Amino acid sequence: MWFKICFRSIVFMLAFVCAHLIHIKKQMSLRKKNHFTNPICTPNIINPGKYGGIAFDAYGTLLDVSTVLTARAKELKLPNGFVTLWRQKQLNYSWLRAAMKRYVDFWDITMDSLDYTLEFYNRTLTQKQKKYILRGWYKLEPFPEVKSALDLLKKNNQNLYILSNGTPRMLSLVLFSSGLRTYFKSIVSVESVKTFKPNPKVYALLEESVCVPRDKLLFVSGNSWDAAAGKSFGFKVASIQRDTSPGNRLGYIPDFNFTNLLELAKFIQNL
């Protein structure tokens, strides 16, 4: 009788330990694929504070995708509107590839959308010129209030993360160039799940990578479609509306709306 009870107890404990080791192995694999330092998750451990973490989209939220690229486009005598169309095709290709399940990384999409935009305007660039404008993606600048906002959030002991379509290399280079890298505890790239926003797998990757349940994460995006997708997944969402464009009619409304990140940081400070 006692032998059976002890045997069952040992089997249960071994099963629990094995499940925990498998979970840790999966997290280590996830960290390696992202090429960034993500924490190893311990189940049911949540970071303290009003939110377990605040996760930001990168392009169009922290980083201005227009100013540097537009300046380089003008140097190359490309037409007005060139960068706007380039960015729109970049997003369109990411959405289509996610829907078709035909993944290539975000750098390849950025090159493909550049080629489309050049053809649309009937322009050609030398390889040196193409390399010059493409490398503008490594030199993007933060929006003016971003560093002040991040300083305030860090002062209030917030754990900050990034979730981005960008490749690890793209993100590493632009975050170091812009001086933003040190603000963030972890950078999560979609590369490890081989798809793009707004696929729910991307938002699930964030939840799993940073060890915080979705209802304890505040997701911040300056792209209204991204904010809607994050809300659909179950995050608390803050939308950064830098212009007067109407929000998307997707049935998911952000919890908060701000015109810039400093407004968000001051709001968090007063919670």
Side-chain angles (χ1 to χ4, degrees):
M1 177 69 177
W2 285 107
F3 174 78
K4 288 183 179 180
I5 293 173
C6 290
F7 179 76
R8 288 174 181 172
S9 297
I10 291 170
V11 170
F12 176 79
M13 290 177 65
L14 287 173
F16 177 81
V17 170
C18 287
H20 187 62
L21 289 174
I22 290 170
H23 179 83
I24 290 176
K25 184 178 179 181
K26 185 176 181 181
Q27 290 299 319
M28 291 180 72
S29 174
L30 199 62
R31 176 176 61 177
K32 184 177 179 181
K33 287 179 181 178
N34 273 334
H35 297 216
F36 293 95
T37 303
N38 294 329
I40 303 299
C41 294
T42 302
N44 301 320
I45 299 297
I46 301 173
N47 293 319
K50 173 67 176 178
Y51 297 106
I54 304 175
F56 296 83
D57 169 60
Y59 303 116
T61 303
L62 298 168
L63 299 166
D64 178 1
V65 299
S66 177
T67 304
V68 169
L69 296 175
T70 298
R72 294 192 177 205
K74 286 182 178 179
E75 286 181 50
L76 297 172
K77 298 183 174 15
L78 295 170
N80 293 334
F82 186 90
V83 171
T84 300
L85 179 59
W86 183 12
R87 170 63 170 162
Q88 189 58 56
K89 292 307 294 184
Q90 182 196 52
L91 290 174
N92 287 346
Y93 284 159
S94 70
W95 298 333
L96 289 168
R97 284 191 172 276
M100 295 187 299
K101 298 182 179 179
R102 293 292 183 265
Y103 178 82
V104 299
D105 71 32
F106 204 57
W107 187 246
D108 285 341
I109 282 179
T110 302
M111 291 190 292
D112 289 342
S113 53
L114 173 61
D115 288 339
Y116 171 91
T117 309
L118 287 168
E119 185 174 349
F120 179 89
Y121 284 109
N122 194 28
R123 297 299 180 92
T124 58
L125 294 176
T126 65
Q127 285 301 113
K128 184 176 180 180
Q129 289 172 327
K130 286 179 72 172
K131 184 179 290 187
Y132 174 70
I133 196 167
L134 280 165
R135 286 184 173 175
W137 285 91
Y138 301 152
K139 299 294 184 180
L140 300 179
E141 297 174 351
F143 287 103
E145 85 289 354
V146 166
K147 289 186 179 180
S148 296
L150 296 178
D151 282 332
L152 185 56
L153 290 170
K154 292 297 286 184
K155 183 179 178 181
N156 284 277
N157 298 314
Q158 297 294 330
N159 292 322
L160 308 181
Y161 308 97
I162 286 177
L163 175 66
S164 177
N165 279 339
T167 67
R169 175 177 168 78
M170 289 176 74
L171 292 168
S172 287
L173 291 172
V174 74
L175 291 173
F176 278 113
S177 172
S178 63
L180 296 184
R181 179 61 184 92
T182 56
Y183 288 102
F184 297 96
K185 186 173 182 180
S186 183
I187 315 297
V188 181
S189 166
V190 303
E191 192 164 286
S192 62
V193 289
K194 307 295 185 190
T195 189
F196 297 103
K197 299 175 181 180
N199 190 311
K201 288 182 180 179
V202 173
Y203 305 98
L205 174 66
L206 173 65
E207 179 184 35
E208 190 169 2
S209 296
V210 305
C211 316
V212 181
R214 65 190 70 179
D215 62 340
K216 296 293 184 182
L217 271 169
L218 178 64
F219 179 62
V220 183
S221 182
N223 300 293
S224 61
W225 57 270
D226 188 23
K231 184 63 180 175
S232 172
F233 181 73
F235 294 144
K236 299 294 184 183
V237 173
S239 177
I240 307 302
Q241 299 174 311
R242 296 183 183 278
D243 57 32
T244 56
S245 300
N248 282 310
R249 272 43 174 187
L250 294 171
Y252 292 92
I253 300 172
D255 298 277
F256 312 106
N257 291 286
F258 303 99
T259 60
N260 60 61
L261 288 176
L262 192 55
E263 285 184 7
L264 166 69
K266 290 177 179 178
F267 172 79
I268 296 293
Q269 183 183 36
N270 293 323
L271 287 178

